[in-house]
């Protein structure tokens, strides 16, 4: 196993292990668990951005697909009375489907055009839900969603988050460290060359994008029951940008990069709440500092000089 | 209907100015200045303080806003972007840096200036009135007319600069082909800094101009940035004609849309139309292909 | 291997340090939470909540603390920014309640207040939102107390005034395209119809972030109303809306049912906003008591400048403390607080004359007393500052 993959595996398994046993040490503090649940949900959505990176595109529309997943769950549960356990896979599926359809049109764009277009897709999705009339209840949003587990304890929801995180990690891992992943890498490095080798580039691109959107929908569905509500502004362009930052910070060469970035940044945010008003300012400064000093992400520390194979 | 067209025209001129700044930076550095909206916002604050609070003449405050933001642009280029472009293994890092600078500026402004909406006294007061608006007449405030006029003047000045002066030609050369320009003896580093400075300065100028009609607060940046993206996507990134056409089109689309459709549906339609348009013309109306 | 251990060790250490913070307890310190929007466009709403609470706390702490049940408590305000994001609001509320805090001021809008409701219920805490959604205050909901006058309570009073005193016969509604504002628009339309007014525009809206209001106001003016109601308008948008309307030649009345800021109105619109009607608090000069004047000075010292919104938001903490003083058991049990609400009454410290009482109201709208009985003040802007048009109380 090459050193990159080994490090990746160690971090991934380590993190999941820590999360599994952590409740034993936290003494039932809901706050800590809720922060971690937040991190897990965000990681799930960020995986989608990460996957899109592997095919050479910067995806800023994950928030839109998280919103689609959220609303699908909310509408399925409130208007059609479906149970959450049906709504969850449904949300992922619908998000993936819509992602595939939209992707088949927009993936032929590259670079900055693609990214700016994804910003507009996110906004368009938000506006669509805002103007969805009675179906989506417009600006009022859908509230009062029941959590799938009764009772007062936060643990069931917490372990659901850990399970979903493991699924997301698994899917991303499989796609990256497999034949499909190698094809993505080829496409990313030189799209025209890959095409000339006969790989059906278009098909793989759309598939990667659809899976990415599906993961976004999965995360969105979780958040819908976590906050027990969904509004058109639950996921905005700003959130999309944060997901992108998680991936960059964690490291784009490692499947667990999205998770590392999401956890580190979110927890950092919470710790900085001591500084209250200056919180987002410090966050912005730190962001720039990290980009200047750690341009290849946190996970790449100490591997400079080893000569990464890309 | 006439009123709607006038609204669209004023809006379009201003948007064109904003788009030009963004496209300038993109053409030189291949980086989308995510902080464009925030620079616009800072320009507004410069004019708010110099003209509104310290009572300097407006036509001193306005160039000061442009100059201040040009300095910020030059500094960002020198300290943030050039190191990143030199070191990173992926070109996306420059985009990440751009996003970081946007966050930085927005939050600095919030901490320094507070969250309140600010406004300045009218520079000119009065209105051209041609009939009662409720009955289909048209009005144009002197303030809006002034803003549109100055925007147009600045655009013309910029086009002349780029076309006829040495530094302007250097900008065009670097935008067209960096290596060839270097071989021709153009100081690419200095030109890049100039380009970013001009782009930022234009954003600051637009902000300083518009604070007279719209006021300013620390949060106006991101909304404007999104609109600027739409404009250069429609018109074509990195091309001046694209920015101007994109700006005008968006101005009219917004004015006409708000008149005919309920509020937010306007922008939904704009986004959908744009996505469809881009599928057929991925580089915008006048843009060059990416990569 | 080193890296992995280091990373995981760091992460675990961070978690445990956060947990340690949560477990700390102190004597004779009364912590009050504030959970609201403190950044971005609506920043003033949450920030004013924070500043008001902090000013009240400062004033008490300067005297050694607040006397409850024979003990002096230092007040500590723990304020968290939720950026108007329900996810952040929930995390903040979890953090505050884990810290043992039972009384929280905020959040500021429907979406965040509704998200926080289950958290309050689980933690057996009480919050004082500044959002108007009825489901927060009507049974079976029992975890929230509305901190101010609701738009649907002011609306009918204002429209009645417009009809009888200004001869208004037709009215148009323009709302910000957001949950709270749209709700206010719907309520306003209903109230206007009940009064027999003709509604010429009932669902027009503008996107948050819009700065050029010419297009949308042009559309409204074309329907020829006698009055325009800006439903749920944010203090940042109001001056520009007024300016656009007057520039376009509109001569009728313009009003809103939310609190506004006279400094911003004067700066951005000046004389063009003259005649603009809005909701005021206790700080209008005509009804200010000396205690209110002292409070304004303390606020200015703490923050740097006064904000008219504070006139409404000054009541929350003062009232919480007054009830706690009456029945100290409420310090740890919010059910005791809720029982007190039904009969609590005190002279309003911020209105001069000493004859106005401050109690919990809301029976007419919510079926129970789940609202702070702030005086209902309607202001009119005169180009420079607010003048009180009239003062009333909420029907109970």
């Amino acid at each position: 196993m090459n050193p990159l993959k080994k490090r990746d595996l160690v971090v991934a398994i380590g993190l999941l292990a820590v999360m599994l046993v952590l409740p034993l040490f936290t003494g039932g503090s809901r706050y800590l668990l809720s922060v971690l649940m937040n991190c897990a949900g965000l990681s799930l959505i960020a995986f989608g951005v990460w996957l899109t990176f592997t095919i050479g595109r910067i995806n800023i529309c994950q928030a839109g697909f998280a919103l689609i997943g959220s609303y699908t769950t909310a509408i399925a549960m409130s208007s059609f009375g479906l149970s959450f356990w049906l709504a969850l896979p449904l949300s992922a599926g619908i998000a993936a489907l819509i992602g595939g359809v939209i992707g088949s049109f927009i993936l032929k764009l590259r670079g900055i055009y693609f990214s700016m277009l994804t910003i507009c897709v996110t906004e368009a999705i938000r506006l669509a839900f805002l103007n969805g009339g009675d179906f989506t209840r417009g600006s009022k949003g859908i509230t009062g969603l029941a959590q799938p587990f009764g009772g007062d304890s936060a643990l069931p929801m917490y372990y659901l988050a850990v399970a979903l995180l493991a699924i997301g990690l698994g899917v991303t891992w499989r796609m990256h460290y497999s034949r499909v992943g190698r094809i993505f890498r080829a496409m990313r490095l030189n799209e025209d060359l890959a095409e000339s080798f006969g790989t059906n580039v278009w098909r793989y691109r759309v598939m990667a994008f659809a899976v990415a959107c599906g993961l976004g929908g999965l995360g969105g569905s979780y958040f819908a029951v976590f906050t027990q509500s969904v509004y058109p502004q639950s996921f905005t362009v700003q959130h999309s940008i944060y997901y992108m930052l998680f991936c960059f910070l964690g490291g784009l060469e490692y499947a667990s990069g999205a998770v590392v970035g999401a956890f580190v940044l979110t927890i950092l945010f919470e710790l900085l709440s001591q500084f209250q008003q200056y919180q987002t300012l410090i966050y912005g400064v730190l962001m720039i500092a990290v980009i200047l000093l750690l341009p290849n992400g946190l996970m790449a520390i100490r591997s400079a000089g080893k000569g990464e194979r890309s | 209907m006439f009123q709607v067209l006038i609204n669209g025209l004023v809006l379009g001129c201003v948007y064109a100015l904003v788009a030009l700044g963004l496209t300038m930076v993109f053409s030189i550095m291949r980086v989308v200045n995510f902080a464009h909206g925030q620079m616009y916002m800072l320009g507004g604050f410069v004019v708010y303080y110099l003209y509104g609070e310290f009572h300097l003449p407006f036509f001193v405050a306005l160039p000061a806003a442009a100059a201040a933001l040009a300095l910020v642009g030059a500094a960002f280029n020198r300290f943030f972007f050039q190191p990143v472009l030199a070191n990173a293994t992926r070109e996306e890092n420059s985009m990440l840096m751009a996003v970081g600078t946007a966050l930085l500026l927005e939050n600095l402004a919030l901490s320094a200036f507070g969250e309140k909406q600010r406004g300045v006294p009218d520079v000119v007061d009065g209105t051209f009135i041609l009939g009662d608006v409720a009955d289909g007449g048209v009005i144009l405030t002197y303030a809006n007319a002034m803003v549109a006029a100055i925007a147009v003047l600045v655009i013309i000045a910029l086009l002349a600069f780029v076309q006829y002066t040495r530094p302007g030609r250097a900008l065009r050369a670097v935008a067209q082909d960096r290596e060839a320009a270097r071989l021709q003896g153009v100081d690419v580093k200095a030109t890049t800094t100039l380009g970013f400075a001009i782009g930022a300065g234009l954003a600051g100028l637009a902000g300083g101009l518009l604070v007279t009609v719209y006021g300013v607060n620390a949060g106006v940046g991101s909304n404007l940035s999104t609109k600027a993206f739409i404009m250069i996507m429609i018109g074509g990134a990195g091309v001046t004609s694209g920015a101007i056409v994109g700006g005008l089109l968006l101005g009219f689309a917004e004015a006409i849309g708000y008149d005919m459709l309920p509020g937010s549906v306007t922008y939904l339609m704009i986004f959908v139309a744009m996505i469809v348009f881009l599928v057929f013309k991925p580089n915008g109306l006048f843009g060059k292909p990416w990569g | 291997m080193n890296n992995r251990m280091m990373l995981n060790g760091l992460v675990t250490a961070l978690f445990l340090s956060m947990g340690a913070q949560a477990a700390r307890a102190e004597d004779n310190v009364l912590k009050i939470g504030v959970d609201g929007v403190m950044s971005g466009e609506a920043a003033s709403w949450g920030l004013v909540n924070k500043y008001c609470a902090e000013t009240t706390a400062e004033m008490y702490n300067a005297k050694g603390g607040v006397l409850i049940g024979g003990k002096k408590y230092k007040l500590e305000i723990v304020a968290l920014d939720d950026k108007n994001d329900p996810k952040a609001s929930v995390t903040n509320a979890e953090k505050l309640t884990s810290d043992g805090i039972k009384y929280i001021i905020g959040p500021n809008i429907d979406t965040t207040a509704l998200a926080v409701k289950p958290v309050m219920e689980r933690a057996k805490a009480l919050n004082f939102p500044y959002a108007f959604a009825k489901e927060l205050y009507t049974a079976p909901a029992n975890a929230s107390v509305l901190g101010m006058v609701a738009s649907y309570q002011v609306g009918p009073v204002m429209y009645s005034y417009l009809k009888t005193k200004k001869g208004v016969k037709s009215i148009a509604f323009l709302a910000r395209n957001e949950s709270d504002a749209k709700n206010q628009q719907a309520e306003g339309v209903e109230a206007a119809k009940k009064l027999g007014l003709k509604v010429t525009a009932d669902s027009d809206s503008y996107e948050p972030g819009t700065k050029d209001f010419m297009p949308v106001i042009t559309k409204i003016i074309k329907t020829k109303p006698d009055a325009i109601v800006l439903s749920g308008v944010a203090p940042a948008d109001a001056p520009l809306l007024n300016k656009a309307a007057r520039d376009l030649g509109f001569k009728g009345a313009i009003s809103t049912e939310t609190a506004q800021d006279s400094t911003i109105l004067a700066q951005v619109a000046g004389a063009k906003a003259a005649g603009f009607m809005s909701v005021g608090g206790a700080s209008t000069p005509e009804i200010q008591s000396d205690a209110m004047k002292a409070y304004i000075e303390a606020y200015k010292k703490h923050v740097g400048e006064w904000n008219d919104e504070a006139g409404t938001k000054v009541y929350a903490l003062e009232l919480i403390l007054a009830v706690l003083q009456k029945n100290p058991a409420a310090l740890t049990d919010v059910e005791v607080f809720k029982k007190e609400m039904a009969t609590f009454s005190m002279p309003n410290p911020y209105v001069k004359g000493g004859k106005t009482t401050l109690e919990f109201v809301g029976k007419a709208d919510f079926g129970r007393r789940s609202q702070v009985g702030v005086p209902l003040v309607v202001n009119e802007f005169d180009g420079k500052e607010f003048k009180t048009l009239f003062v009333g109380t909420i029907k109970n």
Side-chain angles (χ1 to χ4, degrees), chain A residues 266-282:
Chain A
T266 309
I267 292 173
L268 195 67
F269 228 138
E270 285 301 315
L271 288 178
L272 288 182
S273 69
Q274 305 282 26
F275 295 96
Q276 288 184 32
Q277 262 171 293
Y278 302 105
Q279 182 179 342
T280 29
L281 174 61
I282 295 176

Side-chain angles (χ1 to χ4, degrees), chain C residues 312-371:
Chain C
T312 321
K313 295 184 173 169
V314 63
Y315 282 89
L317 185 53
E318 195 64 49
L319 193 55
I320 294 174
L321 292 173
V323 176
L324 288 175
Q325 283 177 319
K326 174 138 184 270
N327 193 335
L331 274 170
T332 46
D333 187 351
V334 295
E335 294 304 316
V336 172
F337 190 103
K338 290 178 202 170
K339 282 210 196 76
E340 287 293 334
M341 278 166 52
T343 52
F344 185 83
S345 173
M346 71 188 254
N348 188 331
Y350 299 120
V351 175
K352 72 179 174 196
K355 282 199 274 239
T356 335
T357 52
L358 183 61
E359 22 182 77
F360 290 94
V361 297
K363 261 200 141 156
D365 291 279
F366 311 121
R368 24 181 283 264
R369 291 182 183 244
S370 40
Q371 179 178 16

Side-chain angles (χ1 to χ4, degrees), chain A residues 84-168:
Chain A
F84 171 68
W85 302 107
L86 275 177
L88 183 67
L90 185 67
S91 306
I94 289 188
L97 189 67
I98 297 181
V101 170
I102 293 183
S104 59
F105 288 114
I106 69 174
L107 281 165
K108 65 173 173 174
L109 294 170
R110 297 189 195 182
I112 207 66
Y113 286 105
F114 179 80
S115 308
M116 289 196 293
L117 187 58
T118 54
I119 292 182
C120 298
V121 167
T122 312
E123 278 287 282
I125 292 176
R126 176 184 71 85
L127 289 174
F129 282 117
L130 188 59
N131 292 293
D134 279 334
F135 190 54
T136 64
R137 302 204 209 142
S139 58
K140 286 200 191 146
I142 302 180
T143 60
L145 296 171
Q147 289 203 328
F149 308 103
D152 262 353
S153 170
L155 285 178
M157 281 297 282
Y158 175 76
Y159 282 111
L160 175 63
V162 178
L164 287 175
L165 181 63
I167 292 175

Side-chain angles (χ1 to χ4, degrees), chain C residues 17 26 37 73 103 131 256 275 287 342 349 357 388 390 393:
Chain C
S17 76
E26 287 198 35
V37 51
Y73 289 85
Y103 297 97
T256 183
I287 57 174
T357 52
T388 311
F390 56 87
T393 40

Side-chain angles (χ1 to χ4, degrees), chain B residues 209-265:
Chain B
L209 203 54
L210 285 174
V211 73
T212 59
V213 285
Y214 297 154
V216 68
N217 69 61
V220 297
S222 18
N223 193 284
L224 191 80
S225 288
T226 310
K227 289 190 184 170
F229 296 158
I230 297 178
M231 290 181 246
I232 66 174
M233 274 192 279
I234 297 177
V239 181
T240 37
S241 48
I244 297 175
V245 170
L248 284 169
L249 276 177
L250 188 68
F252 280 112
E254 205 178 285
I256 297 175
Y258 276 146
D259 187 60
M260 301 190 351
L261 301 165
S264 51
V265 179

